[in-house]
Amino acid sequence: EILASYDYASTVVQRDASGRVTARPTVRKVQFKTQRKVPKTGVLFVGWGGNNGATVTAGVLANKMGLTWRTKEGSHKANYYGSVTMSSTVRLGMDQNGNDTFVPFNSLLPLLSPDDLVIGGWDISSMNLGDAMRRSKVLDVQIQDQLYDQMKDLVP
């Protein structure tokens, strides 16, 4: 487990009968405790068979499987670039030379990898997600072909 202490600084403001304001700084000590292992987490899509549900599911599967595909612009590899938890950095402090030091956000606390999400949902359509992915035309055809066998068995 991870234990951390934090001093929460605030100000208590009081106004007396004459309207005079008094500000008193306060510090409240807070203790945080969390487990290093992130529990199983699910995502439930309302409209799972729509463009968003099918595309997010395909993206998670492509990353889990480490898929690569070619487009007119060249080869691509699945990644989570753009994900706040996977690609953001946080200013940790300054080094001995006074330079800011940044670390990946996901290295500070145990965060769930999107690869570990349990995905499900419902939709008014009973179309499997493989066909929904093809219908949406969001992903390149080559990546659709690589994902179809896994996606066709997922039905809202």
Side-chain angles (χ1 to χ4, degrees):
E1 68 186 6
I2 298 173
L3 295 172
S5 298
Y6 179 74
D7 290 340
Y8 180 74
S10 186
T11 305
V12 175
V13 179
Q14 293 179 321
R15 186 180 304 266
D16 64 19
S18 68
R20 183 175 169 201
V21 175
T22 305
R24 183 174 42 92
T26 63
V27 175
R28 188 173 83 204
K29 295 193 177 295
V30 181
Q31 285 264 325
F32 294 98
K33 180 170 111 175
T34 188
Q35 299 299 316
R36 290 187 181 275
K37 174 93 171 98
V38 179
K40 187 178 280 193
T41 302
V43 175
L44 181 124
F45 284 99
V46 176
W48 193 22
N51 292 3
N52 293 336
T55 302
V56 168
T57 303
V60 169
L61 287 173
N63 276 282
K64 268 188 196 180
M65 298 164 58
L67 297 182
T68 59
W69 66 99
R70 286 186 38 218
T71 68
K72 290 186 280 186
E73 288 81 31
S75 292
H76 297 274
K77 181 171 177 31
N79 62 63
Y80 287 114
Y81 295 160
S83 165
V84 171
T85 61
M86 302 306 287
S87 64
S88 295
T89 60
V90 174
R91 182 182 173 273
L92 187 60
M94 290 190 289
D95 65 16
Q96 64 275 14
N97 298 319
N99 298 314
D100 287 335
T101 300
F102 295 87
V103 297
F105 183 69
N106 64 1
S107 71
L108 293 178
L109 288 172
L111 297 176
L112 178 76
S113 167
D115 288 347
D116 297 330
L117 287 172
V118 178
I119 299 175
W122 65 80
D123 201 297
I124 58 172
S125 167
S126 60
M127 179 183 292
N128 72 66
L129 265 67
D131 291 337
M133 170 185 63
R134 287 184 170 165
R135 178 193 63 204
S136 73
K137 300 178 184 168
V138 172
L139 302 172
D140 289 313
V141 172
Q142 194 176 39
I143 191 79
Q144 289 182 40
D145 291 344
Q146 292 180 67
L147 289 167
Y148 186 80
D149 285 341
Q150 288 77 30
M151 300 276 292
K152 71 178 171 47
D153 297 328
L154 303 174
V155 180

